[in-house]
Amino acid sequence: MRPNKRDELVSKALKVFYRDGFHATGMDKLVVETGVSKTSMYKHFRTKEELILAALRLRDENFRDWFLKRIDEMAETPVEQILVSFDALKEWFEEDEFRGCMFIKAGAEFQDPDHPIHVQAAEHKQFLLDHFTSVAEQAGAQDPHKLACQIVLLQEGAIVSAVLLQHCDPARDAKDAAKKLLASALN
Amino acid sequence: MRPNKRDELVSKALKVFYRDGFHATGMDKLVVETGVSKTSMYKHFRTKEELILAALRLRDENFRDWFLKRIDEMAETPVEQILVSFDALKEWFEEDEFRGCMFIKAGAEFQDPDHPIHVQAAEHKQFLLDHFTSVAEQAGAQDPHKLACQIVLLQEGAIVSAVLLQHCDPARDAKDAAKKLLASALN
DNA sequence: GCAAAAGTTAACAGATCGGTACACTTTGAG
DNA sequence: CTCAAAGTGTACCGATCTGTTAACTTTTGC
């Protein structure tokens, strides 16, 4: 069990970064919250930025695993898979610890498009776009890439609305919109 | 011209906050970038938070003025107004200084829902939602609130996609999606 | 032209930032 | 049992953070 402490550090740091933000989380706070000594942190990661990148990689892995697995559990056909993705989002929004999308936040805190953290956030979104592009192909869409862009766009919009708007049910509204898009994209 | 320097400070600070982020912008950097002395800043605003709130108020004013005016210039009927809102967004996305939505970023950096900055960001989004709800009413939508939620959702999604996704034209895709929503929401 | 208001520079306080140094203890494989 | 790897606590570095102080200059209204 060599890299055990390292994994524990990354997964606890992930929680803190997600809850409090990147700039707002100092290394000293991480020492307290993770229970890992600063010396040890800097033995595993040369800089805070490397730790953030590792936390984002873990988040990417966790979220993709959960999201795609949940979709697979709930639906069989490609069209249904696109639709139930919004039900999965709704489950996420209703979690107590829900604090929006970590990658949108990472892109917002590190705005330079060439910054490694921004790049990694973009890659996460690109992966999801690619995934839904292939689902759209399987569904027989006329323009799979465009449909996928629209589905992802609805998902992003739902996440942002879930964070900033009240008296709305963005997951439901987005699913409803997706239904109409699918109806005309498949003819 | 009493509050001239103050307005100048707020508008220059706004640019820096928008470009570099809130936590990443220190007061000393603002002294250099705005040309206003720190003493003077703290005479106008008791804390950095108050300055951020003033910058967000100005941004809210500027963005709403520009966005709604541009929509009015481009369209006359309510339905057309909803559609051209995405053309206005496209113009914004193509600006060199485009760095995403300041309020999404504010909500991302100050995540506590009760934090004044988060609250103010949410109010901006709520205003836009209210506006498009009344446009949807004028358009004769069956469920104006739901349609407005979906339109705003598409707008938010387009903004986030414009920041994080390449090889996409989110404004066009969102407008296309809005067309289909409108077609089925109106009769 | 004069006083008050508003602005300036520059130094400073106390806290926190990311990151390092050093001496020590725990742990695990051969 | 041993020895190296891995982890610990603590003190520290220089830089930067938000915010303050004091003495001085400019602008402005009357």
Side-chain angles (χ1 to χ4, degrees):
Chain A
M1 297 241 258
R2 191 88 105 344
N4 210 347
K5 206 77 183 180
R6 181 194 156 109
D7 292 354
E8 196 183 321
L9 163 62
V10 175
S11 85
K12 286 186 179 171
L14 166 56
K15 281 185 189 175
V16 183
F17 283 135
Y18 181 63
R19 193 211 322 135
D20 297 343
F22 300 100
H23 286 102
T25 301
M27 298 303 275
D28 290 309
K29 186 199 267 182
L30 285 179
V31 171
V32 175
E33 298 249 11
T34 67
V36 177
S37 68
K38 203 194 269 197
T39 317
S40 210
M41 286 182 174
Y42 278 97
K43 211 157 273 176
H44 288 299
F45 302 98
R46 278 161 37 198
T47 61
K48 182 186 180 182
E49 183 179 310
E50 283 190 12
L51 176 56
I52 292 176
L53 287 169
L56 286 177
R57 270 189 294 272
L58 178 60
R59 178 69 179 183
D60 178 49
E61 199 182 307
N62 287 349
F63 184 81
R64 274 160 48 173
D65 281 358
W66 171 81
F67 192 44
L68 301 187
K69 203 190 85 205
R70 198 71 194 91
I71 288 173
D72 256 7
E73 286 169 2
M74 291 193 281
E76 293 189 352
T77 72
V79 171
E80 277 170 359
Q81 287 197 345
I82 288 174
L83 289 177
V84 299
S85 74
F86 296 94
D87 298 325
L89 288 183
K90 190 183 175 86
E91 291 176 8
W92 179 34
F93 297 166
E94 284 165 357
E95 289 174 13
D96 285 341
E97 325 85 44
F98 173 69
R99 285 273 195 170
C101 170
M102 185 140 198
F103 300 94
I104 293 176
K105 296 192 288 188
E109 284 206 52
F110 302 91
Q111 306 195 67
D112 180 353
D114 296 326
H115 192 293
I117 293 175
H118 190 103
V119 170
Q120 192 160 314
E123 284 170 358
H124 169 85
K125 296 297 182 189
Q126 188 63 47
F127 178 90
L128 289 177
L129 178 61
D130 292 344
H131 173 81
F132 282 102
T133 303
S134 89
V135 175
E137 276 167 14
Q138 293 165 42
Q142 292 162 350
D143 186 343
H145 181 256
K146 181 172 185 172
L147 178 59
C149 281
Q150 289 174 317
I151 293 302
V152 167
L153 194 150
L154 284 171
Q155 291 170 350
E156 310 287 11
I159 295 169
V160 171
S161 296
V163 172
L164 285 178
L165 286 178
Q166 291 159 342
H167 318 302
C168 282
D169 187 343
R172 170 178 50 83
D173 294 341
K175 182 178 184 178
D176 194 75
K179 265 182 211 162
K180 287 162 187 165
L181 285 186
L182 282 169
S184 80
L186 297 178
N187 75 334
Chain B
M1 294 245 254
R2 214 64 107 8
N4 212 348
K5 207 79 182 177
R6 181 194 156 112
D7 291 354
E8 197 184 320
L9 163 63
V10 174
S11 84
K12 286 186 179 171
L14 166 55
K15 281 185 189 173
V16 183
F17 283 136
Y18 180 63
R19 190 206 329 133
D20 298 343
F22 301 99
H23 286 103
T25 301
M27 298 303 275
D28 290 309
K29 186 199 269 180
L30 285 179
V31 170
V32 175
E33 299 250 11
T34 67
V36 177
S37 68
K38 202 193 272 196
T39 320
S40 209
M41 286 181 174
Y42 278 98
K43 212 157 273 176
H44 288 302
F45 303 99
R46 277 163 35 199
T47 62
K48 180 185 181 182
E49 182 180 312
E50 283 190 12
L51 176 56
I52 292 175
L53 288 169
L56 287 177
R57 270 189 295 272
L58 178 60
R59 177 72 177 179
D60 179 48
E61 201 182 305
N62 287 349
F63 184 81
R64 274 160 47 172
D65 281 359
W66 171 82
F67 191 46
L68 301 187
K69 202 190 84 204
R70 198 74 195 88
I71 289 172
D72 256 8
E73 285 169 2
M74 291 194 283
E76 292 188 352
T77 72
V79 170
E80 278 170 359
Q81 288 198 342
I82 288 175
L83 289 178
V84 298
S85 75
F86 296 95
D87 298 324
L89 287 184
K90 190 183 176 87
E91 291 177 8
W92 179 34
F93 296 167
E94 284 165 357
E95 289 175 14
D96 285 341
E97 324 84 42
F98 173 70
R99 285 273 193 172
C101 170
M102 184 141 200
F103 301 94
I104 292 176
K105 296 192 287 187
E109 286 206 50
F110 303 91
Q111 305 195 67
D112 180 353
D114 296 326
H115 192 293
I117 293 177
H118 191 103
V119 169
Q120 192 160 313
E123 284 171 358
H124 169 86
K125 296 297 181 190
Q126 187 64 48
F127 178 89
L128 289 177
L129 177 60
D130 291 345
H131 174 80
F132 283 101
T133 303
S134 90
V135 176
E137 276 169 13
Q138 293 165 40
Q142 291 161 353
D143 186 344
H145 181 256
K146 181 173 186 174
L147 178 60
C149 282
Q150 289 174 318
I151 294 302
V152 168
L153 194 148
L154 285 170
Q155 292 170 351
E156 310 287 11
I159 296 170
V160 171
S161 296
V163 172
L164 286 178
L165 285 180
Q166 291 160 340
H167 317 301
C168 281
D169 187 344
R172 171 178 49 85
D173 293 341
K175 183 178 184 179
D176 194 77
K179 265 182 211 161
K180 286 161 186 164
L181 284 185
L182 282 169
S184 80
L186 293 181
N187 65 335

